[in-house]
Amino acid sequence: MPTVYPAEHSEAAFLTDAFLKWLSVRRDSPWFAHFVFLRPHPPLIAPEPYNALVDPAAVSLPARAASLAEEKRQHPMLAYELDRISVPGGYDEHSPFDPVSANELEIRQMRATYYGLIAEVDHHLGRIIEHLKRTGEYDRTLIIVTSDHAEMLGEHHAWGKEVYFDGAFHLPLVIRDPRADADAARGTTVEVFTELST
């Protein structure tokens, strides 16, 4: 089911509209913005057409142990977290749904909706980039796209970010540096562990 509001009234659309309005009066002066999309994030419900963009039947099931009991035996912290998100509001504070005990169809639908929410964010990022190109700012704007955390999406029966698996920590980081001297590193993919040391 889609949201009760149309896509043009979603959080992502509202924030992008406000940001583009803010940008419109800064064309000729330097600016910095830390722009944050809430989505994709629970509750996993998307406006049309993003709610049906990905067919749940085409979505792979998450990697997990054969049973919830077997998964919990890995570590007490994992058992605690799986119990915590099983209670009403444990994963999505607005929903009594238990994602840990979800059936195959529900899991596929949740993952498909999450991917639809990603597509919605991609659309609105595209609007921002088009604005920068149209106004001539693209070639003098450093763009960094990242995330504060990842989402387990049912891997190891877990949802959210409060576990120790790689899936909770694999974050996107895309940097578009318009400077000519950045060409040497352009297109580089870093596959090694990366951290900030203090």
Side-chain angles (χ1 to χ4, degrees):
M1 290 177 50
T3 56
V4 295
Y5 51 82
E8 60 268 20
H9 295 155
S10 73
E11 300 101 329
F14 173 81
L15 290 169
T16 304
D17 292 345
F19 182 58
L20 291 174
K21 183 178 178 181
W22 182 86
L23 277 180
S24 69
V25 297
R26 288 167 172 77
R27 288 177 59 176
D28 299 320
S29 60
W31 55 268
F32 171 85
H34 177 195
F35 182 79
V36 180
F37 286 108
L38 170 64
R39 302 302 192 127
H41 193 278
L44 298 183
I45 183 168
E48 289 183 300
Y50 304 104
N51 68 309
L53 199 62
V54 178
D55 181 0
V59 173
S60 62
L61 286 170
R64 50 179 35 184
S67 72
L68 181 58
E70 183 181 339
E71 200 79 70
K72 287 180 175 182
R73 282 194 293 270
Q74 287 187 50
H75 194 277
M77 186 219 167
L78 179 59
Y80 167 82
E81 181 61 16
L82 294 175
D83 288 341
R84 185 190 70 77
I85 63 173
S86 295
V87 300
Y91 172 64
D92 173 5
E93 65 187 59
H94 304 291
S95 171
F97 182 68
D98 171 7
V100 176
S101 300
N103 64 41
E104 182 177 313
L105 176 60
E106 291 167 328
I107 291 169
R108 287 181 191 273
Q109 182 61 65
M110 289 173 70
R111 290 167 68 97
T113 302
Y114 190 88
Y115 301 147
L117 289 167
I118 291 171
E120 182 185 19
V121 167
D122 286 347
H123 166 73
H124 291 292
L125 278 173
R127 290 178 58 208
I128 293 168
I129 290 169
E130 283 305 311
H131 169 87
L132 295 173
K133 288 180 177 180
R134 191 173 51 255
T135 60
E137 296 171 90
Y138 184 71
D139 289 327
R140 56 186 171 89
T141 302
L142 174 66
I143 302 170
I144 302 172
V145 178
T146 190
S147 177
D148 61 335
H149 65 83
E151 164 62 56
M152 288 300 293
L153 288 179
E155 300 283 326
H156 300 282
H157 292 86
W159 295 84
K161 61 183 180 179
E162 306 292 336
V163 292
Y164 48 78
F165 295 106
D166 286 348
F169 297 95
H170 281 192
L171 306 178
L173 175 61
V174 179
I175 302 171
R176 197 267 176 187
D177 188 339
R179 297 174 299 185
D181 60 353
D183 283 341
R186 201 173 310 283
T188 302
T189 301
V190 178
E191 297 288 347
V192 296
F193 180 73
T194 306
E195 65 178 324
L196 173 64
S197 59
T198 55

